Amino acid sequence: MTTETTPRRRPATAPRWAGALAGLLAAATGVAIGSGLAALFTGVPTPIESVGNQFIDLTPAWLKDFAIEQFGTNDKAVLIAGTVVVLTLASLAAGVVGLRRPRIAFAIVATFGIVAVITAFTDRTATAQRALVLIPALVTLVVSLVVLGVLLRALELAPKPGDDVPEGFDRRAFMRAVLVASAGIAVGASVWRFLGSDAGAASRASVSLPAPADAAAPVPAGAQVDLDGISPFITPNSDFYRIDTALQVPQVPVEGYTLRIHGMVDQELNLSFRDLLAERLVERRITLTCVSNEVGGPLVGNAAWLGVLTKDLLERAGVQAGADAVKTTSSDGMTIGTPVEALLDDRESLIAVGMNGEPLPLQHGFPVRMVVPGLYGYVSATKWLVDIEVTRFEDFEAYWTPRGYAEEAPIKMSSRIDVPRSFAEVPLDNARFGGVAWAQDTGIERVEVQIDDGPWQDADLAEEDSINTWRQWSWTWDDATEGIHNVTVRATDANGETQTSERARIVPDGTTGWHSVQFRVA
Ligand SMILES: Nc1nc2c(c(=O)[nH]1)N[C@H]1C(S)=C(S)[C@@H](COP(=O)(O)O)O[C@H]1N2
Ligand SMILES: [Mo]
């Protein structure tokens, strides 16, 4: 009698595409079900978001500015897409390798799952309980491994009955598992997409803001230059630039919202959203600017903000001697440091609840944010604001400080050409130019333009709204000549300072230099 032995090592393997599919489905099922689960709760990021958030926090300043420059406000979509591409490639590869060496496949998939768990654990944006935040990541890890196991098993080559030559993989078992995994993906993705928590949006829809006790005066008629293509004096909320570290827009319902003011104060204050609305509300137009704005860039906008004067609240709390800073924290764990002086002096810094007549849009900080005239957003404009600690600069580091940015950063005077756009054609008989200039907290006194290497000529200034808002300018080139030309702009503030032509980079405290645009007169 002879003993038949089945070879231990599989002599041949199922086709590579089947292995690749197994890997991909394993990862996709895990991620989809984990994301569906996360979406059901408020303040629980999906595994991909947690990985992205960790990536954002590890991103050095130069890479962040490169990303903003390359992708503008799509930087977040690009980050998510990049994460998905890496995951897809790794899972395809894991599946192919898994045909021969299943352990390596499990190791690859487990590594990604563990990264998801770790990043969920450290995710500063999560506002739900940590245990709840970990569940989607753990589920992603387990589901991916199980699906991988089932699919690879079905791909093992079975011997022909009564023969030791392998017949092929178990096509039926494989197809069954593919169908089950696909159904899991569909369910997870649908829950994530359609049943996701929108607690912030729902809450916002229920908010109605009282009329301000002290409304902003109407915009002076002369503040808006009549010129096609110039930025509107008031930036509509939908066009307002958005910059933050939030991969998923924080959902902060007003129900249960508390703003805590504490630290070096005589009396700690805890204010609900309702308490804030009951304060003396003022409306002020203030031009917000991002430190990452390149010369001539779009990261600046002007809005009417409704809110409580920071001064009113801080004076009530009683700022103690020796405090020089305020550390503010958002619901998503972002921190910002602001000189306490800027919140107490008469520039009228705000704890804002409204933007251009509406509750703050979710992306712009609903329900509460800070707005400080004259300071770049990263040192003043905390969105989704929940905590104000009066302290000293030497006692803390705000989010961007260890990433290479200055601790204090007043907005640098700047001017921008809106018309013409780069390489636009300008009519010979109506060569009009225009744009905006800003020197918040000081005011713009003069704007000059230069054609090619010609003399500097005074532009017409639109009426000033306030020293905290940008000011429009326009200019007509009466003796325009055909051909390609260059226009450059520079501003002078109310102190008589003129913008320097010297180029400064974004890091550590904002750009300088003159904006130039090339165009053709025809
Ligand atoms: N919570 C939070 N607030 C934040 C930021 C952020 O990343 N998180 N970014 C700041 C920066 S860098 C800027 S320029 C302004 C931008 O405000 P906006 O998006 O409403 O234009 O918000 C500031 N407030
Ligand atoms: Mo910014």
Side-chain angles (χ1 to χ4, degrees):
M1 228 172 119
T2 54
T3 330
E4 296 244 344
T5 49
T6 320
R8 288 236 127 211
R9 246 170 48 89
R10 273 172 274 135
T13 57
R16 284 174 169 223
W17 65 262
L21 184 61
L24 185 64
L25 286 177
T29 312
V31 168
I33 291 181
S35 303
L37 212 52
L40 292 175
F41 303 97
T42 300
V44 178
T46 66
I48 300 244
E49 285 165 347
S50 284
V51 170
N53 284 328
Q54 187 65 60
F55 193 85
I56 288 176
D57 289 354
L58 295 175
T59 300
W62 63 266
L63 182 56
K64 182 210 77 165
D65 289 323
F66 172 81
I68 291 177
E69 196 184 319
Q70 296 301 307
F71 310 118
T73 330
N74 293 325
D75 56 342
K76 297 187 176 75
V78 171
L79 174 56
I80 296 272
T83 308
V84 170
V85 167
V86 168
L87 185 62
T88 302
L89 294 177
S91 60
L92 290 169
V96 173
V97 171
L99 291 175
R100 282 174 185 280
R101 317 196 48 183
R103 279 186 188 188
I104 293 185
F106 284 115
I108 295 174
V109 171
T111 302
F112 275 81
I114 289 167
V115 167
V117 174
I118 293 172
T119 56
F121 190 72
T122 60
D123 196 326
R124 72 183 149 74
T125 74
T127 52
Q129 297 215 328
R130 201 50 65 175
L132 191 58
V133 174
L134 286 178
I135 291 175
L138 287 168
V139 166
T140 296
L141 171 65
V142 171
V143 169
S144 307
L145 290 174
V146 169
V147 172
L148 183 69
V150 171
L151 285 168
L152 285 185
R153 170 125 257 204
L155 288 179
E156 278 181 13
L157 302 184
K160 275 186 188 164
D163 195 345
D164 63 351
V165 179
E167 176 187 48
F169 65 95
D170 187 344
R171 212 171 270 275
R172 288 188 147 205
F174 184 68
M175 287 320 291
R176 244 190 336 263
V178 166
L179 283 180
V180 172
S182 304
I185 293 170
V187 170
S190 309
V191 171
W192 169 72
R193 182 76 182 75
F194 300 112
L195 297 183
S197 163
D198 62 350
S203 176
R204 181 176 186 268
S206 73
V207 166
S208 67
L209 298 174
D214 182 354
V219 177
Q224 174 74 54
V225 169
D226 182 18
L227 176 63
D228 256 2
I230 199 167
S231 319
F233 180 74
I234 297 280
T235 314
N237 290 355
S238 55
D239 294 344
F240 207 95
Y241 81 93
R242 172 189 171 199
I243 292 290
D244 52 56
T245 57
L247 208 41
Q248 66 281 18
V249 177
Q251 303 281 321
V252 185
V254 298
E255 302 78 24
Y257 172 85
T258 311
L259 175 62
R260 178 167 177 236
I261 303 179
H262 63 114
M264 296 172 71
V265 293
D266 297 334
Q267 175 190 200
E268 176 171 332
L269 300 180
N270 284 281
L271 301 157
S272 67
F273 188 70
R274 193 188 282 262
D275 293 338
L276 284 173
L277 295 193
E279 294 286 334
R280 196 176 82 90
L281 294 179
V282 306
E283 187 183 35
R284 296 290 180 265
R285 284 183 291 274
I286 298 167
T287 297
L288 211 67
T289 312
C290 182
V291 69
S292 300
N293 196 39
E294 296 285 0
V295 171
L299 304 180
V300 51
N302 184 39
W305 306 95
L306 174 75
V308 186
L309 295 175
T310 53
K311 187 175 146 138
D312 287 354
L313 296 181
L314 288 177
E315 279 175 358
R316 190 176 317 152
V319 173
Q320 294 175 348
D324 64 356
V326 158
K327 175 190 176 193
T328 48
T329 309
S330 62
S331 72
D332 66 337
M334 159 87 187
T335 54
I336 282 180
T338 312
V340 73
E341 192 48 38
L343 307 183
L344 291 173
D345 65 19
D346 53 14
R347 77 181 73 192
E348 301 197 302
S349 302
L350 296 177
I351 308 244
V353 293
M355 181 178 184
N356 291 331
E358 293 174 21
L360 293 174
L362 296 194
Q363 298 191 336
H364 297 291
F366 178 84
V368 178
R369 77 173 303 169
M370 280 220 304
V371 180
V372 177
L375 302 183
Y376 283 120
Y378 85 100
V379 287
S380 70
T382 318
K383 304 192 272 188
W384 313 290
L385 174 70
V386 294
D387 190 286
I388 299 180
E389 182 186 351
V390 179
T391 175
R392 293 184 300 200
F393 275 116
E394 66 185 53
D395 291 341
F396 75 104
E397 268 195 326
Y399 185 88
W400 285 112
T401 311
R403 292 170 172 81
Y405 287 84
E407 199 159 63
E408 300 195 34
I411 298 172
K412 295 178 182 174
M413 174 181 18
S414 196
S415 54
R416 184 175 81 188
I417 301 160
D418 289 343
V419 183
R421 302 260 168 232
S422 263
F423 306 115
E425 211 170 273
V426 171
L428 183 62
D429 57 350
N430 187 23
R432 290 198 70 202
F433 301 75
V436 283
W438 58 90
Q440 288 95 325
D441 209 31
T442 307
I444 290 288
E445 192 173 78
R446 182 180 196 191
V447 169
E448 298 163 281
V449 294
Q450 180 189 42
I451 298 292
D452 302 325
D453 294 325
W456 286 96
Q457 310 186 51
D458 278 331
D460 296 320
L461 279 180
E463 197 174 329
E464 179 172 77
D465 178 22
S466 88
I467 58 170
N468 293 328
T469 54
W470 60 16
R471 195 164 177 184
Q472 298 193 342
W473 60 269
S474 62
W475 183 73
T476 305
W477 188 13
D478 292 322
D479 39 8
T481 54
E482 280 184 27
I484 293 184
H485 298 283
N486 221 64
V487 57
T488 306
V489 66
R490 72 178 185 196
T492 299
D493 70 14
N495 296 333
E497 296 272 348
T498 297
Q499 265 182 270
T500 172
S501 62
E502 216 166 287
R503 289 245 157 197
R505 292 168 171 273
I506 292 167
V507 178
D509 61 1
T511 57
T512 60
W514 294 337
H515 188 210
S516 278
V517 162
Q518 206 172 72
F519 60 97
R520 172 201 292 277
V521 175

